[in-house]
Amino acid sequence: MPEAAAQRRLRGASADAHVVLVAPPGDPSTDEADDALTAAVHAAVERARRAGAGGPRTVLRAPTTREALTALADAAERASADGVALVLLDVDLVVSPVALLDLLDHPGRRTATFVLPAPSGPAAGAPDASAGWTPVRWGEGRKALVESVGTPQHALRRATGVALGVLRVDAADVPAAARLWRAAAVGEWSGSTSALALLALTRGGVPVAAVPLEQFTARHRADGEALVDPEQDPWRLRLRSAARPVDGFFSVFVVRKVSRAITWRLLPTGVAPNTVTVVSLLVGLLTALLCGIGGWPLLVVAAVLLQVSLVLDCVDGEIARYTRRFSPLGAWLDVSGDRLKENGVYAGLALWSYRAGHDLWVWAVLTMALIAYRHFVDYGFGVSQRTSLLPRVFRGPLDQPDDGAEPLSGGGGSRVSTLVAASDATSGSTWVHWTKKAIHLPIGERYLVISLALLTGRPQVVFVALVVLEVLAVLYTTGGRILRSVSGERSTAATLPAPDPTRPTWGEIDHQLDLGPLARAVASALPTSWRSPWAGVAASVVLVGTAVAVSLGLHASWLLPAVIVLVVGAGLGLAVPVRGPVAWAAPSSLFAVEAATVLLVQDRLAPTSGGAAFLLIAAAAYRRYDIIYRTRDLGRPPSAWTSWVTLGLDGRLLVVAVAALWPGAFGTVLLVVGAVIGGIVLVESTLGWALWLRATKVPTDTTPGASRQLAVATPDEPGDDLTSP
């Protein structure tokens, strides 16, 4: 079964790649040495072939590094002429071909190398730099880059681990690699050829992704060693590594044990991950329907079905990562399905309670808005995290013996940075690590709380438990990330640009603000010198304060001038791109302002229209999720006209303020606006993804050679892969 074709399916990402097998330097002086080299080469060839690299092969063995780099440049020029990728593999590297799949046969993977963290002490099977491996430093996160490389002639500050002597250079980077290796061949260097090749790429400006080896091991080949996988059951290990390393305690120790058993049996069937995602969504919607019907027996069934949906939600990701069949579309289906299921449960419980004479819509809105707010904090902080890592990749000439003298992180020994460092130090403890995970309340723990609370048959228990836990999660994660930002642990001097035909200077954070035509018009009309982020902060405080006053009895007519103040303040605060140590908090803060205003005013003017407020806030949140995923994974936001038809934050609040002048129609206006905006976002988003699919021409077959050059995004719970405080 592990060797079944359905589990070994190749994507063809390196099917035509030129393979360069790097032998140890020197000439074999005996027949035994020559036979050993031949056996090692044959073993390496077989590993590369089984991992999907089946193009022309070059055995590189030279007495000096100069000659080796020259030969490597020659091979890269041949690969460049053919327009294919290049794979560099040390012949004495013993690693499972199953492990190599994640590097050589990963759709959308560009230039990358395998890395392993350096062990703090002796560890069987774990390589360290003193054993002949290449010391390297890489950044944080799932898309970390190799920042610097050490060799006998190049000092490395704060190595985080080692590179393993296997490198895939994407076809787009092969011409630059050939040029850099040709230039490096001018000097005399010491060290392995693979280390110098990696060093030349990073210092020459070619981004090299650091891909963890995960569950697998690697070692140097001993003379006479047979071609066997280092692991006894590599396919089982591959399934273990298909689980997300950022899962919470409940997912890791309970849900994943069940989901892996299901995944193992589904893999031979060739079922698509998106098919499982759709089934999970249907089960979740059935759960929401049962919650809407109500009654203790149905709520017990709903509690069980919610866990079934969670298990299936893990299965689709495991299949996607195991078979490398993932894409931005899969990630979007996963996250949008999670939101529909979860918000459907909250709406169902509130609807049943309302029919039973207990209005819990305010609690449902609070629960949904708090979860969305924390996600938007995670997304915004994720932008600053990715941005802060980019300048750390050291670029410079090969003859520079070190990788610079600038500090790797800020803080300067301040009290805040000391507090952050102390928090990081405690994370080494197992129980502290899992406690922090639980406080963050990831999706597994959240679904567990919902299921347990449903067993009581009381929707109030579900909402109160979630609101209390989410408030704790919001305070913990937001507070910790603010501390990291102001301590200098994260630099947000700039935001990552996202292509936009109308505003090419806008970045991810700017799009996440979800500002409409009114605020944009103010921003373009007022002088740039007037702009200040504090204007937006002050205007937000004024609006929320006015909404609180309205909820306490102030006439609703005061809301309209407060919204106008917000429109002007947002325009004044819109300095593109948004900058500052805590710029990442702007989108989530504006969402909180919108949700709080709608909820406070609705509770005062139309207390029986909680469902309408829930729909409008859910539509606004869905609009932001759509902006975030399409900007992040497709490199462009939704079409510019959608900011007009969905009104933007400022336009929606202006509609709310005008509707507040007629309290009798207020609930109806919220319902209509929420339904229209939600429908527009759903239709436009569906069309946008359909056009993307058509443009990428994703093949439906899975035979070798059916390569898909996609911007890879694995299905993940938003924010759970980011640094907790």
Side-chain angles (χ1 to χ4, degrees), residues 11 327 692-701 707-708 710:
R11 313 306 301 169
S327 70
W692 174 83
L693 277 174
R694 183 177 181 180
T696 54
K697 297 180 180 179
V698 178
T700 56
D701 65 292
S707 178
R708 299 184 298 175
L710 307 179

Side-chain angles (χ1 to χ4, degrees), residues 142-300:
R142 291 181 292 111
K143 299 181 180 180
L145 299 178
V146 175
E147 298 176 348
S148 188
V149 181
T151 74
Q153 293 173 293
H154 300 87
L156 173 65
R157 295 171 301 137
R158 206 187 69 178
T160 53
V162 294
L164 302 184
V166 54
L167 173 70
R168 181 186 186 274
V169 183
D170 187 71
D173 295 328
V174 167
R179 173 178 52 81
L180 292 170
W181 292 335
R182 182 76 65 191
V186 175
E188 289 289 350
W189 313 106
S190 58
S192 69
T193 302
S194 58
L196 291 168
L198 181 60
L199 175 72
L201 292 183
T202 57
R203 290 202 174 188
V206 176
V208 181
V211 181
L213 195 57
E214 298 291 353
Q215 305 286 337
F216 295 91
T217 61
R219 65 179 184 271
H220 288 298
R221 177 182 173 86
D223 291 340
E225 181 179 348
L227 175 61
V228 294
D229 288 343
E231 285 75 27
Q232 293 182 346
D233 195 346
W235 292 103
R236 285 283 188 181
L237 280 181
R238 179 169 181 79
L239 181 58
R240 290 184 61 87
S241 66
R244 295 187 306 131
V246 294
D247 279 331
F249 181 89
F250 182 65
S251 293
V252 170
F253 294 100
V254 179
V255 180
R256 289 292 180 186
K257 293 182 182 300
V258 179
S259 66
R260 282 199 296 267
I262 297 174
T263 300
W264 190 248
R265 288 163 176 79
L266 286 179
L267 284 169
T269 68
V271 63
N274 289 347
T275 301
V276 181
T277 302
V278 172
V279 174
S280 175
L281 174 60
L282 293 177
V283 173
L285 294 179
L286 177 59
T287 303
L289 177 63
L290 295 179
C291 290
I293 297 174
W296 184 79
L298 292 183
L299 292 186
V300 172

